[in-house]
């Protein structure tokens, strides 16, 4: 049997040994191709003895210990925290990814492999400056979900620190080093790209309208100037008026017509007409008819669908499809 087949078989045995719930959690972090390959190997397992299982589990333990042995001291802390937060089976499936990310001098990216609630549990007891430092290095959507998972007081403190973030302070870096194995020291990220008003705005853009409004209102009480600067950086639904037609057409391809109908409820006439112009005549006529026939819709539902479309626009912009920068200049009301 080839080495790759042996590796797949061992992986399949390990997944079968984890149990349904733990194995399902591990699969969430694999690519579709890897899931297919491992799933096929699992389906093909025949005549596996208890001794075979013991050998695979022991090999896995030894490999995990080997990865942990090359640490600078913080991996044991991370493993302990993950075990407490996720359980030993789920944590075991993530340790290797976290250590590999740390070897790449960007171990904090490993937190992007965890669900937002787990990340919030891991960092909620840290100093707000530490939390802000971690969040500015996460993917914006993940950072937004983590922020929502924090309690309101901590959430307000952290977003203010993100908005006024000027780089990693020595004291904060020392504490973060203990937790994440010095992942921020010597990073290639430029200081100007870490944190700041734009980062805070990008994180808020992924929140629900209700969470966004509540956080902005609290932030106004803490620092009205910073709050307004964040608002000016945010891209809101009405800003689609300023987006080029080709970008609107790309956005419409990924938006369900029923969701669009709700989102346009009460939207400015200028924005409606821009949408109509970038649709086929038949599609525009149908949308007009749907809008006219539409009954009352809760404002929260309208805001939810508008936020969803804004997130589509931002995702496409971040992929390089078009540019949204500099468009969000309306005052928040």
């Amino acid at each position: 049997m080839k080495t790759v087949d042996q590796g797949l078989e061992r992986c399949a045995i390990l997944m079968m040994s984890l149990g349904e719930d733990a194995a399902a959690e591990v699969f969430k972090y694999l690519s579709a191709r890897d899931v297919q390959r491992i799933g096929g190997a699992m389906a093909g397992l025949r005549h596996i003895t208890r001794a075979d299982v013991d050998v695979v589990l022991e090999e896995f333990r030894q490999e995990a210990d080997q990865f942990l042995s090359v640490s600078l001291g913080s991996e044991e802390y991370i493993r302990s925290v993950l075990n407490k937060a996720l359980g030993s089976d789920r944590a075991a499936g993530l340790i290797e990814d976290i250590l590999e990310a740390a070897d790449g001098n960007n171990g904090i990216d490993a937190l992007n492999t965890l669900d937002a609630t787990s990340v919030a549990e891991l960092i909620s007891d840290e100093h707000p400056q530490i939390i802000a430092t971690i969040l500015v290095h996460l993917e914006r959507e993940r950072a937004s979900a983590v922020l929502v998972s924090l309690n309101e007081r901590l959430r307000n403190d952290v977003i203010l620190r993100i908005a006024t973030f000027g780089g990693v302070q020595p004291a904060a870096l020392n504490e973060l080093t203990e937790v994440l194995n010095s992942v921020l020291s010597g990073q290639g990220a430029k200081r100007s790209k870490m944190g700041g008003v734009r980062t805070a705005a990008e994180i808020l853009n992924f929140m629900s309208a209700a969470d966004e409004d509540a956080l902005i209102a609290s932030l106004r009480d803490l620092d009205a100037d910073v709050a307004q600067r964040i608002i000016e950086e945010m891209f809101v639904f009405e800003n689609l008026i300023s987006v080029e037609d080709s970008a609107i057409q790309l956005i419409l391809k990924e938006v369900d017509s029923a969701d669009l109908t709700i989102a346009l409820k009460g939207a400015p006439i200028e924005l409606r007409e821009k949408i109509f112009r970038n649709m086929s005549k038949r599609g525009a006529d149908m949308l007009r008819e749907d809008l006219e026939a539409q009954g009352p819709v809760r404002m929260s539902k309208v805001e939810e669908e508008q936020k969803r479309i804004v997130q589509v626009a931002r995702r496409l912009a971040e992929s390089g499809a078009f540019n949204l920068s500099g468009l969000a200049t309306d005052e928040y009301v």
Side-chain angles (χ1 to χ4, degrees):
M1 183 178 292
K2 295 180 180 180
T3 302
V4 64
D5 293 335
Q6 293 176 341
L8 268 177
E9 183 179 83
R10 290 198 297 270
C11 186
I13 293 174
L14 177 62
M15 295 295 285
M16 295 289 284
S17 303
L18 292 178
E20 293 181 5
D21 293 340
E25 288 298 324
V26 174
F27 273 132
K28 290 180 182 179
Y29 304 103
L30 302 178
S31 67
R33 181 174 181 273
D34 287 339
V35 169
Q36 184 177 13
R37 295 177 66 220
I38 296 173
M42 292 170 67
L45 288 177
R46 296 290 186 274
H47 309 300
I48 300 301
T49 67
R50 180 64 198 179
D52 294 328
V53 174
D54 290 342
V55 168
V56 169
L57 292 178
E58 177 61 21
E59 288 180 351
F60 178 76
R61 185 192 67 77
Q62 291 177 0
E63 289 182 9
D65 287 345
Q66 181 180 0
F67 276 107
L68 292 171
S69 68
V70 301
S71 72
L72 297 179
S74 66
E75 285 86 354
E76 288 295 330
Y77 175 85
I78 295 175
R79 181 170 62 172
S80 176
V81 172
L82 287 177
N83 282 331
K84 290 179 181 179
L86 307 176
S88 58
D89 288 339
R90 291 177 62 193
L94 296 173
I95 290 173
E96 183 174 336
D97 286 341
I98 290 176
L99 293 177
E100 286 180 348
D103 288 341
N105 292 325
N106 198 15
I108 201 166
D109 285 343
L111 294 180
N112 283 314
T113 68
L114 297 175
D115 62 87
T117 301
S118 296
V119 176
E121 290 175 354
L122 292 174
I123 67 176
S124 60
D125 291 332
E126 302 297 333
H127 189 280
Q129 186 65 34
I130 298 294
I131 298 175
T133 303
I134 291 173
L135 292 188
V136 301
H137 287 82
L138 294 182
E139 297 170 357
R140 296 295 181 250
E141 187 170 5
R142 180 59 52 86
S144 175
V146 173
L147 195 59
V148 170
S149 298
L150 302 177
N151 67 63
E152 183 178 358
R153 181 177 179 182
L154 181 56
R155 184 189 312 160
N156 295 337
D157 190 353
V158 170
I159 194 64
L160 182 59
R161 290 173 185 271
I162 289 174
T164 56
F165 196 86
V168 185
Q169 299 300 319
L173 180 59
N174 289 337
E175 189 170 353
L176 190 59
T177 297
E178 294 177 5
V179 179
L180 295 174
N181 194 23
S182 191
V183 294
L184 295 183
S185 61
Q187 236 76 327
K190 294 183 178 179
R191 192 179 175 91
S192 61
K193 293 184 179 180
M194 295 164 50
V197 171
R198 171 61 65 84
T199 297
E202 290 173 350
I203 291 173
L204 263 63
N205 267 321
F206 283 101
M207 289 185 178
S208 68
D211 288 329
E212 176 188 303
D213 291 345
L215 191 49
I216 287 292
S218 298
L219 193 56
R220 281 188 183 279
D221 293 335
L222 294 171
D223 194 320
D225 178 63
V226 170
Q228 185 59 37
R229 286 163 56 205
I230 291 176
I231 290 161
E232 291 171 355
E233 288 288 346
M234 293 180 68
F235 184 88
V236 296
F237 187 68
E238 287 74 12
N239 293 138
L240 289 173
I241 294 174
S242 303
V243 174
E244 58 189 19
D245 287 350
S246 59
I248 293 293
Q249 293 164 19
L250 291 175
I251 294 169
L252 291 178
K253 289 180 180 179
E254 300 199 23
V255 176
D256 183 80
S257 59
D259 296 339
L260 181 60
T261 303
I262 295 174
L264 289 177
K265 182 76 171 180
I269 297 298
E270 183 182 358
L271 177 54
R272 288 192 182 192
E273 291 300 323
K274 185 180 186 70
I275 297 295
F276 295 149
R277 288 198 308 271
N278 285 283
M279 303 176 70
S280 66
K281 184 179 185 305
R282 181 172 179 274
D285 290 341
M286 291 178 63
L287 180 57
R288 287 191 178 92
E289 292 175 2
D290 290 342
L291 284 168
E292 292 175 0
Q294 189 179 54
V297 181
R298 290 183 180 276
M299 181 57 69
S300 60
K301 181 62 175 175
V302 173
E303 292 175 344
E304 178 184 344
E305 297 304 336
Q306 290 181 349
K307 175 71 71 172
R308 197 188 313 277
I309 294 173
V310 166
Q311 290 176 359
V312 169
R314 182 163 293 281
R315 174 170 54 79
L316 289 171
E318 290 177 349
S319 71
F322 50 81
N323 184 20
L324 292 180
S325 63
L327 295 177
T329 56
D330 293 345
E331 184 173 349
Y332 187 93
V333 294

